[in-house]
Amino acid sequence: MDSIGLLGSTGTYVYLTRAERRRALEATIEEVAGKVPILVGIGALRTDEAVRLAQDAKAAGAAAGLLAPVSYTPLTEDEVFEHFVTVAGEGGLPLCIYDNPGTTHFRFSSSLIGRLSRVPGIAALKGPAPEAQAVPAQLAALRGVVPDGFSLGYSGDWNAVETLIAGADAWYSVVAGLFPEAGMAIVRATGRGDAAEARRLNARLEPLWTLFKDFSSLRVMYASADLLGLCRAAPPRPILPLPDTARQRVAAVLEALDLI
């Protein structure tokens, strides 16, 4: 793996206390220190809390922070800009912008991304992957507003392969958290310019992408971790585990893909 993304949305960061987040980070650092860089979610409702989470992450040895504009009251672009500037300046940790409108209900405009990309300490973007036909134009538009060396990466596993083929710098993958070989096979194929193989590998995972769309990747990954025997954790309430019928679908797909 090139890096580990800890306490992202699939890591349920927003539901965890500061102490729980610190414990998760310390456990991860203990296992992988010096092997791969760790990007850790530091999003919080309040700016001062996000600053403290960034400071915790830096002190523990994280390489960067993943910051989403978590909110209850809808935020303006100026509010989000100031939030990021403060966390970048006071947290002391390089930041990746986390554009996840499905959960935050805030979408970054290209102009806001351009403004933030020039703030010292803000180094990357994790954004939702668009549909395949829209990828080249969107990626080109973003390249036009950020400085050279600013990393542009995508999440949304079922569309991510096209972003890598188009030249995105990173795939912030959900599936690779439990099935790293499947994720890295796609990354390696795109890295050597074999778009056909990358698309073939991606198409093979279509049954899993369907589960993600039907039940949410979070719930499917919790069920998968249980089916793999890695842990027996239930998602944090009010999120409920998948019902038995859905869990049986997950098990059947994992078996058919030789992932279990």
Side-chain angles (χ1 to χ4, degrees):
M1 300 298 292
D2 298 317
S3 64
I4 291 176
L6 181 71
L7 299 178
S9 294
T10 313
T12 62
Y13 73 97
V14 77
Y15 296 94
L16 304 182
T17 65
R18 182 181 176 189
E20 287 170 330
R21 296 197 204 192
R22 187 186 296 118
R23 184 156 59 94
L25 178 55
E26 289 171 350
T28 305
I29 292 287
E30 182 178 343
E31 289 292 326
V32 303
K35 298 178 183 177
V36 293
I38 295 174
L39 170 73
V40 60
I42 57 170
L45 275 172
R46 289 170 50 128
T47 300
D48 56 357
E49 181 65 11
V51 167
R52 286 190 286 270
L53 291 166
Q55 292 168 343
D56 288 348
K58 181 182 179 182
L66 181 64
L67 182 59
V70 181
S71 67
Y72 179 82
T73 299
L75 300 176
T76 68
E77 287 206 349
D78 285 341
E79 288 168 339
V80 170
F81 181 81
E82 292 299 329
H83 179 63
F84 274 76
V85 168
T86 301
V87 177
E90 298 181 16
L93 189 68
L95 297 183
C96 176
I97 301 165
Y98 190 5
D99 184 8
N100 190 359
T103 57
T104 65
H105 309 293
F106 179 89
R107 182 176 289 278
F108 286 79
S109 67
S110 59
S111 61
L112 179 56
I113 292 169
R115 288 174 66 195
L116 288 170
S117 70
R118 288 167 171 78
V119 173
I122 299 180
L125 168 71
K126 173 186 177 181
E131 294 298 323
Q133 64 274 14
V135 167
Q138 193 212 63
L139 187 56
L142 288 173
R143 295 279 188 215
V145 299
V146 301
D148 291 343
F150 189 87
S151 176
L152 297 175
Y154 289 91
S155 56
D157 280 10
W158 49 89
N159 288 331
V161 66
E162 294 301 327
T163 70
L164 293 171
I165 291 169
D169 300 305
W171 172 21
Y172 297 92
S173 173
V174 170
V175 73
L178 288 179
F179 310 106
E181 294 88 353
M184 285 304 297
I186 292 173
V187 171
R188 291 191 184 103
T190 59
R192 63 177 181 265
D194 192 346
E197 175 64 3
R199 289 185 174 118
R200 184 192 71 80
L201 292 168
N202 183 71
R204 180 177 180 271
L205 295 175
E206 187 58 40
L208 189 55
W209 305 154
T210 298
L211 291 175
F212 281 9
K213 295 172 188 177
D214 288 350
F215 304 120
S216 83
S217 58
L218 172 64
R219 294 179 179 89
V220 172
M221 291 294 272
Y222 261 90
S224 297
D226 185 40
L227 289 164
L228 290 167
L230 296 175
C231 65
R232 301 299 176 190
R237 299 292 297 268
I239 302 168
L240 296 175
L242 289 178
D244 286 343
T245 53
R247 180 184 165 90
Q248 290 167 10
R249 277 186 59 190
V250 174
V253 166
L254 296 185
E255 290 173 3
L257 294 175
D258 295 323
L259 295 174
I260 190 172

Short mmCIF file of all heavy atoms in Angstrom, two decimals, residues 15-76:
data_model
loop_
_atom_site.label_atom_id
_atom_site.label_comp_id
_atom_site.label_asym_id
_atom_site.label_seq_id
_atom_site.Cartn_x
_atom_site.Cartn_y
_atom_site.Cartn_z
N TYR A 15 -18.30 10.03 14.56
CA TYR A 15 -19.03 9.49 15.71
C TYR A 15 -18.14 9.26 16.92
O TYR A 15 -18.64 8.88 17.99
CB TYR A 15 -19.68 8.15 15.32
CG TYR A 15 -20.73 8.26 14.25
CD1 TYR A 15 -20.40 8.06 12.92
CD2 TYR A 15 -22.05 8.57 14.56
CE1 TYR A 15 -21.36 8.16 11.92
CE2 TYR A 15 -23.01 8.68 13.58
CZ TYR A 15 -22.66 8.47 12.25
OH TYR A 15 -23.60 8.58 11.27
N LEU A 16 -16.84 9.44 16.77
CA LEU A 16 -15.90 9.06 17.83
C LEU A 16 -15.48 10.27 18.67
O LEU A 16 -15.38 11.38 18.17
CB LEU A 16 -14.66 8.41 17.22
CG LEU A 16 -14.90 7.19 16.32
CD1 LEU A 16 -13.58 6.62 15.84
CD2 LEU A 16 -15.73 6.14 17.03
N THR A 17 -15.21 10.00 19.93
CA THR A 17 -14.69 11.04 20.81
C THR A 17 -13.22 11.30 20.48
O THR A 17 -12.56 10.52 19.78
CB THR A 17 -14.79 10.61 22.28
OG1 THR A 17 -13.91 9.49 22.49
CG2 THR A 17 -16.21 10.22 22.65
N ARG A 18 -12.71 12.39 21.01
CA ARG A 18 -11.30 12.71 20.80
C ARG A 18 -10.42 11.58 21.33
O ARG A 18 -9.44 11.19 20.69
CB ARG A 18 -10.97 14.03 21.49
CG ARG A 18 -9.54 14.49 21.29
CD ARG A 18 -9.28 15.79 22.02
NE ARG A 18 -7.89 16.22 21.92
CZ ARG A 18 -7.37 17.22 22.61
NH1 ARG A 18 -8.13 17.90 23.46
NH2 ARG A 18 -6.09 17.55 22.46
N ALA A 19 -10.75 11.04 22.49
CA ALA A 19 -9.94 9.97 23.08
C ALA A 19 -9.99 8.72 22.22
O ALA A 19 -8.98 8.02 22.05
CB ALA A 19 -10.43 9.66 24.49
N GLU A 20 -11.16 8.39 21.67
CA GLU A 20 -11.28 7.21 20.81
C GLU A 20 -10.47 7.39 19.53
O GLU A 20 -9.81 6.45 19.05
CB GLU A 20 -12.74 6.96 20.48
CG GLU A 20 -13.55 6.41 21.64
CD GLU A 20 -15.03 6.38 21.37
OE1 GLU A 20 -15.53 7.24 20.60
OE2 GLU A 20 -15.71 5.50 21.93
N ARG A 21 -10.49 8.59 18.98
CA ARG A 21 -9.69 8.84 17.77
C ARG A 21 -8.21 8.71 18.08
O ARG A 21 -7.45 8.13 17.29
CB ARG A 21 -10.00 10.23 17.23
CG ARG A 21 -11.42 10.44 16.75
CD ARG A 21 -11.48 11.66 15.88
NE ARG A 21 -12.79 12.27 15.83
CZ ARG A 21 -13.13 13.22 14.96
NH1 ARG A 21 -12.23 13.70 14.12
NH2 ARG A 21 -14.33 13.73 14.95
N ARG A 22 -7.79 9.26 19.21
CA ARG A 22 -6.38 9.17 19.57
C ARG A 22 -5.96 7.71 19.76
O ARG A 22 -4.88 7.31 19.32
CB ARG A 22 -6.12 9.97 20.85
CG ARG A 22 -4.64 10.08 21.20
CD ARG A 22 -4.42 10.75 22.54
NE ARG A 22 -4.87 12.13 22.55
CZ ARG A 22 -5.85 12.59 23.34
NH1 ARG A 22 -6.47 11.77 24.16
NH2 ARG A 22 -6.20 13.85 23.30
N ARG A 23 -6.82 6.92 20.36
CA ARG A 23 -6.50 5.51 20.59
C ARG A 23 -6.37 4.76 19.26
O ARG A 23 -5.46 3.94 19.08
CB ARG A 23 -7.58 4.87 21.46
CG ARG A 23 -7.30 3.42 21.84
CD ARG A 23 -8.04 3.03 23.12
NE ARG A 23 -9.47 3.20 22.99
CZ ARG A 23 -10.31 2.22 22.62
NH1 ARG A 23 -9.83 1.03 22.32
NH2 ARG A 23 -11.60 2.44 22.56
N ALA A 24 -7.26 5.05 18.32
CA ALA A 24 -7.18 4.41 17.00
C ALA A 24 -5.89 4.79 16.28
O ALA A 24 -5.23 3.95 15.67
CB ALA A 24 -8.39 4.81 16.16
N LEU A 25 -5.53 6.07 16.36
CA LEU A 25 -4.31 6.53 15.70
C LEU A 25 -3.08 5.92 16.34
O LEU A 25 -2.16 5.46 15.64
CB LEU A 25 -4.25 8.06 15.75
CG LEU A 25 -3.00 8.70 15.13
CD1 LEU A 25 -2.81 8.26 13.68
CD2 LEU A 25 -3.10 10.22 15.22
N GLU A 26 -3.04 5.89 17.66
CA GLU A 26 -1.86 5.34 18.34
C GLU A 26 -1.70 3.85 18.03
O GLU A 26 -0.58 3.36 17.84
CB GLU A 26 -1.99 5.57 19.85
CG GLU A 26 -1.82 7.04 20.24
CD GLU A 26 -2.15 7.31 21.69
OE1 GLU A 26 -2.70 6.40 22.35
OE2 GLU A 26 -1.88 8.43 22.16
N ALA A 27 -2.80 3.11 17.95
CA ALA A 27 -2.73 1.69 17.61
C ALA A 27 -2.19 1.50 16.20
O ALA A 27 -1.40 0.59 15.93
CB ALA A 27 -4.11 1.04 17.75
N THR A 28 -2.62 2.37 15.29
CA THR A 28 -2.16 2.27 13.90
C THR A 28 -0.69 2.61 13.78
O THR A 28 0.08 1.91 13.11
CB THR A 28 -2.99 3.20 13.01
OG1 THR A 28 -4.38 2.90 13.18
CG2 THR A 28 -2.62 3.03 11.54
N ILE A 29 -0.28 3.69 14.43
CA ILE A 29 1.12 4.10 14.39
C ILE A 29 2.01 2.99 14.95
O ILE A 29 3.09 2.71 14.41
CB ILE A 29 1.32 5.40 15.20
CG1 ILE A 29 0.61 6.59 14.52
CG2 ILE A 29 2.80 5.69 15.41
CD1 ILE A 29 1.27 7.08 13.27
N GLU A 30 1.55 2.35 15.99
CA GLU A 30 2.33 1.28 16.60
C GLU A 30 2.58 0.14 15.62
O GLU A 30 3.64 -0.48 15.61
CB GLU A 30 1.60 0.75 17.84
CG GLU A 30 2.35 -0.34 18.59
CD GLU A 30 1.60 -0.79 19.84
OE1 GLU A 30 0.71 -0.06 20.29
OE2 GLU A 30 1.92 -1.88 20.33
N GLU A 31 1.58 -0.12 14.76
CA GLU A 31 1.69 -1.23 13.81
C GLU A 31 2.50 -0.88 12.57
O GLU A 31 3.22 -1.73 12.03
CB GLU A 31 0.29 -1.70 13.39
CG GLU A 31 -0.48 -2.41 14.48
CD GLU A 31 0.13 -3.75 14.85
OE1 GLU A 31 0.68 -4.42 13.94
OE2 GLU A 31 0.07 -4.11 16.03
N VAL A 32 2.36 0.34 12.07
CA VAL A 32 2.91 0.64 10.74
C VAL A 32 3.91 1.78 10.73
O VAL A 32 4.30 2.25 9.66
CB VAL A 32 1.78 0.94 9.73
CG1 VAL A 32 0.82 -0.22 9.65
CG2 VAL A 32 1.05 2.23 10.09
N ALA A 33 4.34 2.25 11.88
CA ALA A 33 5.27 3.39 11.94
C ALA A 33 6.48 3.14 11.05
O ALA A 33 7.14 2.10 11.13
CB ALA A 33 5.71 3.63 13.37
N GLY A 34 6.75 4.11 10.18
CA GLY A 34 7.91 4.04 9.31
C GLY A 34 7.70 3.24 8.04
O GLY A 34 8.57 3.24 7.16
N LYS A 35 6.58 2.55 7.91
CA LYS A 35 6.33 1.72 6.72
C LYS A 35 5.59 2.50 5.63
O LYS A 35 6.02 2.52 4.48
CB LYS A 35 5.53 0.47 7.10
CG LYS A 35 6.25 -0.44 8.08
CD LYS A 35 5.37 -1.63 8.45
CE LYS A 35 6.04 -2.53 9.48
NZ LYS A 35 5.17 -3.66 9.89
N VAL A 36 4.49 3.11 6.00
CA VAL A 36 3.71 3.92 5.05
C VAL A 36 3.19 5.16 5.77
O VAL A 36 2.95 5.11 6.98
CB VAL A 36 2.51 3.13 4.45
CG1 VAL A 36 2.99 2.00 3.56
CG2 VAL A 36 1.61 2.61 5.55
N PRO A 37 3.00 6.27 5.06
CA PRO A 37 2.42 7.45 5.71
C PRO A 37 0.96 7.24 6.06
O PRO A 37 0.25 6.50 5.38
CB PRO A 37 2.59 8.54 4.64
CG PRO A 37 2.69 7.81 3.35
CD PRO A 37 3.35 6.50 3.66
N ILE A 38 0.54 7.89 7.13
CA ILE A 38 -0.84 7.77 7.60
C ILE A 38 -1.53 9.12 7.47
O ILE A 38 -1.07 10.13 7.99
CB ILE A 38 -0.87 7.29 9.06
CG1 ILE A 38 -0.31 5.88 9.16
CG2 ILE A 38 -2.30 7.33 9.61
CD1 ILE A 38 -0.16 5.38 10.57
N LEU A 39 -2.65 9.10 6.77
CA LEU A 39 -3.54 10.25 6.64
C LEU A 39 -4.72 10.01 7.57
O LEU A 39 -5.37 8.96 7.49
CB LEU A 39 -4.03 10.36 5.19
CG LEU A 39 -5.15 11.35 4.88
CD1 LEU A 39 -4.61 12.78 4.94
CD2 LEU A 39 -5.74 11.07 3.50
N VAL A 40 -5.00 10.95 8.47
CA VAL A 40 -6.00 10.71 9.50
C VAL A 40 -7.10 11.78 9.47
O VAL A 40 -6.82 12.97 9.33
CB VAL A 40 -5.35 10.63 10.90
CG1 VAL A 40 -4.63 11.91 11.25
CG2 VAL A 40 -6.36 10.29 11.97
N GLY A 41 -8.35 11.34 9.58
CA GLY A 41 -9.47 12.25 9.60
C GLY A 41 -9.50 13.11 10.85
O GLY A 41 -9.41 12.58 11.97
N ILE A 42 -9.62 14.42 10.66
CA ILE A 42 -9.63 15.35 11.80
C ILE A 42 -10.85 16.26 11.76
O ILE A 42 -10.90 17.27 12.46
CB ILE A 42 -8.34 16.21 11.83
CG1 ILE A 42 -8.17 16.98 10.52
CG2 ILE A 42 -7.12 15.32 12.10
CD1 ILE A 42 -7.08 18.03 10.56
N GLY A 43 -11.84 15.90 10.98
CA GLY A 43 -13.03 16.74 10.86
C GLY A 43 -13.82 16.82 12.16
O GLY A 43 -13.93 15.83 12.89
N ALA A 44 -14.37 18.00 12.45
CA ALA A 44 -15.17 18.22 13.65
C ALA A 44 -16.09 19.40 13.42
O ALA A 44 -15.83 20.24 12.54
CB ALA A 44 -14.28 18.47 14.86
N LEU A 45 -17.15 19.48 14.20
CA LEU A 45 -18.10 20.58 14.05
C LEU A 45 -17.45 21.93 14.30
O LEU A 45 -17.74 22.91 13.62
CB LEU A 45 -19.28 20.40 15.02
CG LEU A 45 -20.43 19.51 14.57
CD1 LEU A 45 -21.38 19.29 15.73
CD2 LEU A 45 -21.17 20.12 13.39
N ARG A 46 -16.59 21.99 15.30
CA ARG A 46 -15.99 23.27 15.70
C ARG A 46 -14.55 23.35 15.21
O ARG A 46 -13.80 22.37 15.22
CB ARG A 46 -16.03 23.41 17.22
CG ARG A 46 -17.42 23.64 17.78
CD ARG A 46 -17.42 23.52 19.30
NE ARG A 46 -16.38 24.32 19.92
CZ ARG A 46 -16.59 25.19 20.91
NH1 ARG A 46 -17.81 25.39 21.35
NH2 ARG A 46 -15.58 25.85 21.45
N THR A 47 -14.15 24.56 14.85
CA THR A 47 -12.79 24.78 14.37
C THR A 47 -11.77 24.48 15.45
O THR A 47 -10.74 23.85 15.18
CB THR A 47 -12.63 26.23 13.87
OG1 THR A 47 -13.56 26.47 12.81
CG2 THR A 47 -11.23 26.49 13.37
N ASP A 48 -12.04 24.91 16.69
CA ASP A 48 -11.05 24.67 17.74
C ASP A 48 -10.87 23.19 18.02
O ASP A 48 -9.76 22.73 18.33
CB ASP A 48 -11.40 25.45 19.02
CG ASP A 48 -12.78 25.15 19.56
OD1 ASP A 48 -13.53 24.38 18.93
OD2 ASP A 48 -13.13 25.72 20.62
N GLU A 49 -11.93 22.41 17.88
CA GLU A 49 -11.80 20.97 18.08
C GLU A 49 -11.01 20.34 16.94
O GLU A 49 -10.18 19.44 17.17
CB GLU A 49 -13.18 20.32 18.19
CG GLU A 49 -13.16 18.82 18.43
CD GLU A 49 -12.55 18.41 19.77
OE1 GLU A 49 -12.32 19.29 20.63
OE2 GLU A 49 -12.31 17.20 19.96
N ALA A 50 -11.23 20.78 15.71
CA ALA A 50 -10.45 20.26 14.59
C ALA A 50 -8.97 20.59 14.76
O ALA A 50 -8.10 19.79 14.41
CB ALA A 50 -10.99 20.83 13.28
N VAL A 51 -8.68 21.77 15.29
CA VAL A 51 -7.28 22.14 15.57
C VAL A 51 -6.67 21.16 16.57
O VAL A 51 -5.55 20.66 16.38
CB VAL A 51 -7.19 23.59 16.10
CG1 VAL A 51 -5.79 23.85 16.68
CG2 VAL A 51 -7.50 24.58 14.99
N ARG A 52 -7.40 20.86 17.64
CA ARG A 52 -6.88 19.94 18.65
C ARG A 52 -6.67 18.54 18.07
O ARG A 52 -5.69 17.86 18.40
CB ARG A 52 -7.82 19.90 19.86
CG ARG A 52 -7.75 21.16 20.73
CD ARG A 52 -8.52 20.97 22.02
NE ARG A 52 -9.95 21.01 21.81
CZ ARG A 52 -10.69 22.12 21.86
NH1 ARG A 52 -10.12 23.28 22.10
NH2 ARG A 52 -11.99 22.07 21.67
N LEU A 53 -7.59 18.11 17.22
CA LEU A 53 -7.44 16.80 16.60
C LEU A 53 -6.23 16.76 15.67
O LEU A 53 -5.52 15.76 15.59
CB LEU A 53 -8.72 16.44 15.83
CG LEU A 53 -9.95 16.17 16.70
CD1 LEU A 53 -11.21 16.16 15.85
CD2 LEU A 53 -9.80 14.84 17.44
N ALA A 54 -5.99 17.86 14.96
CA ALA A 54 -4.81 17.95 14.11
C ALA A 54 -3.54 17.90 14.95
O ALA A 54 -2.56 17.22 14.59
CB ALA A 54 -4.84 19.24 13.28
N GLN A 55 -3.55 18.58 16.07
CA GLN A 55 -2.38 18.57 16.96
C GLN A 55 -2.14 17.18 17.52
O GLN A 55 -0.99 16.73 17.62
CB GLN A 55 -2.57 19.60 18.07
CG GLN A 55 -2.55 21.04 17.57
CD GLN A 55 -3.02 22.05 18.61
OE1 GLN A 55 -3.66 21.68 19.60
NE2 GLN A 55 -2.70 23.32 18.39
N ASP A 56 -3.23 16.49 17.89
CA ASP A 56 -3.10 15.11 18.37
C ASP A 56 -2.48 14.22 17.30
O ASP A 56 -1.60 13.40 17.59
CB ASP A 56 -4.48 14.54 18.74
CG ASP A 56 -5.06 15.13 20.00
OD1 ASP A 56 -4.34 15.82 20.75
OD2 ASP A 56 -6.27 14.89 20.25
N ALA A 57 -2.96 14.37 16.07
CA ALA A 57 -2.48 13.54 14.98
C ALA A 57 -1.01 13.80 14.69
O ALA A 57 -0.23 12.87 14.47
CB ALA A 57 -3.33 13.78 13.73
N LYS A 58 -0.63 15.06 14.71
CA LYS A 58 0.78 15.39 14.48
C LYS A 58 1.66 14.81 15.57
O LYS A 58 2.72 14.22 15.31
CB LYS A 58 0.96 16.90 14.40
CG LYS A 58 2.40 17.32 14.13
CD LYS A 58 2.56 18.83 14.09
CE LYS A 58 4.02 19.20 13.84
NZ LYS A 58 4.22 20.66 13.84
N ALA A 59 1.22 14.96 16.81
CA ALA A 59 2.02 14.46 17.93
C ALA A 59 2.19 12.94 17.89
O ALA A 59 3.22 12.41 18.29
CB ALA A 59 1.36 14.88 19.25
N ALA A 60 1.17 12.26 17.37
CA ALA A 60 1.23 10.80 17.29
C ALA A 60 2.09 10.31 16.14
O ALA A 60 2.50 9.15 16.13
CB ALA A 60 -0.17 10.22 17.17
N GLY A 61 2.32 11.18 15.14
CA GLY A 61 3.16 10.78 14.02
C GLY A 61 2.46 10.65 12.70
O GLY A 61 3.03 10.09 11.75
N ALA A 62 1.23 11.15 12.58
CA ALA A 62 0.53 11.11 11.30
C ALA A 62 1.23 12.02 10.29
O ALA A 62 1.84 13.03 10.65
CB ALA A 62 -0.92 11.55 11.47
N ALA A 63 1.13 11.67 9.02
CA ALA A 63 1.77 12.45 7.96
C ALA A 63 0.90 13.62 7.52
O ALA A 63 1.42 14.65 7.08
CB ALA A 63 2.07 11.56 6.76
N ALA A 64 -0.43 13.47 7.61
CA ALA A 64 -1.33 14.51 7.13
C ALA A 64 -2.70 14.32 7.75
O ALA A 64 -3.03 13.25 8.27
CB ALA A 64 -1.43 14.47 5.60
N GLY A 65 -3.51 15.38 7.68
CA GLY A 65 -4.87 15.33 8.18
C GLY A 65 -5.87 15.45 7.05
O GLY A 65 -5.65 16.18 6.08
N LEU A 66 -6.96 14.74 7.17
CA LEU A 66 -8.06 14.78 6.20
C LEU A 66 -9.19 15.59 6.82
O LEU A 66 -9.79 15.17 7.81
CB LEU A 66 -8.52 13.36 5.88
CG LEU A 66 -9.65 13.19 4.88
CD1 LEU A 66 -9.24 13.68 3.50
CD2 LEU A 66 -10.10 11.74 4.83
N LEU A 67 -9.45 16.77 6.25
CA LEU A 67 -10.37 17.71 6.89
C LEU A 67 -11.61 17.94 6.04
O LEU A 67 -11.52 18.45 4.92
CB LEU A 67 -9.67 19.04 7.16
CG LEU A 67 -10.50 20.12 7.86
CD1 LEU A 67 -10.99 19.64 9.22
CD2 LEU A 67 -9.69 21.41 8.01
N ALA A 68 -12.74 17.55 6.57
CA ALA A 68 -14.04 17.81 5.94
C ALA A 68 -14.74 18.94 6.68
O ALA A 68 -14.59 19.08 7.90
CB ALA A 68 -14.91 16.56 5.98
N PRO A 69 -15.51 19.76 5.98
CA PRO A 69 -16.25 20.84 6.64
C PRO A 69 -17.53 20.30 7.28
O PRO A 69 -18.64 20.53 6.81
CB PRO A 69 -16.55 21.80 5.49
CG PRO A 69 -16.65 20.94 4.28
CD PRO A 69 -15.68 19.81 4.51
N VAL A 70 -17.37 19.58 8.37
CA VAL A 70 -18.51 19.01 9.09
C VAL A 70 -19.36 20.15 9.64
O VAL A 70 -18.83 21.12 10.19
CB VAL A 70 -18.02 18.11 10.23
CG1 VAL A 70 -19.19 17.49 10.98
CG2 VAL A 70 -17.10 17.01 9.68
N SER A 71 -20.67 20.03 9.52
CA SER A 71 -21.51 21.14 9.98
C SER A 71 -22.91 20.66 10.33
O SER A 71 -23.34 19.59 9.93
CB SER A 71 -21.60 22.23 8.92
OG SER A 71 -22.32 21.76 7.79
N TYR A 72 -23.59 21.49 11.09
CA TYR A 72 -25.03 21.36 11.30
C TYR A 72 -25.72 22.51 10.58
O TYR A 72 -26.56 22.31 9.74
CB TYR A 72 -25.36 21.37 12.80
CG TYR A 72 -26.84 21.25 13.09
CD1 TYR A 72 -27.46 20.01 13.10
CD2 TYR A 72 -27.61 22.38 13.35
CE1 TYR A 72 -28.82 19.90 13.35
CE2 TYR A 72 -28.96 22.28 13.61
CZ TYR A 72 -29.57 21.03 13.61
OH TYR A 72 -30.92 20.93 13.85
N THR A 73 -25.30 23.72 10.90
CA THR A 73 -25.75 24.89 10.14
C THR A 73 -24.99 24.92 8.82
O THR A 73 -23.77 24.79 8.80
CB THR A 73 -25.46 26.18 10.93
OG1 THR A 73 -26.18 26.13 12.16
CG2 THR A 73 -25.85 27.40 10.14
N PRO A 74 -25.67 25.07 7.69
CA PRO A 74 -24.98 25.11 6.40
C PRO A 74 -23.91 26.20 6.39
O PRO A 74 -24.14 27.33 6.86
CB PRO A 74 -26.10 25.41 5.41
CG PRO A 74 -27.34 24.88 6.05
CD PRO A 74 -27.15 25.14 7.52
N LEU A 75 -22.75 25.88 5.85
CA LEU A 75 -21.60 26.78 5.86
C LEU A 75 -21.48 27.53 4.54
O LEU A 75 -21.83 27.02 3.47
CB LEU A 75 -20.31 26.00 6.12
CG LEU A 75 -20.24 25.24 7.43
CD1 LEU A 75 -18.96 24.43 7.51
CD2 LEU A 75 -20.34 26.20 8.61
N THR A 76 -20.96 28.75 4.62
CA THR A 76 -20.65 29.53 3.43
C THR A 76 -19.21 29.22 3.00
O THR A 76 -18.42 28.67 3.75
CB THR A 76 -20.78 31.03 3.69
OG1 THR A 76 -19.73 31.44 4.60
CG2 THR A 76 -22.14 31.37 4.30
#
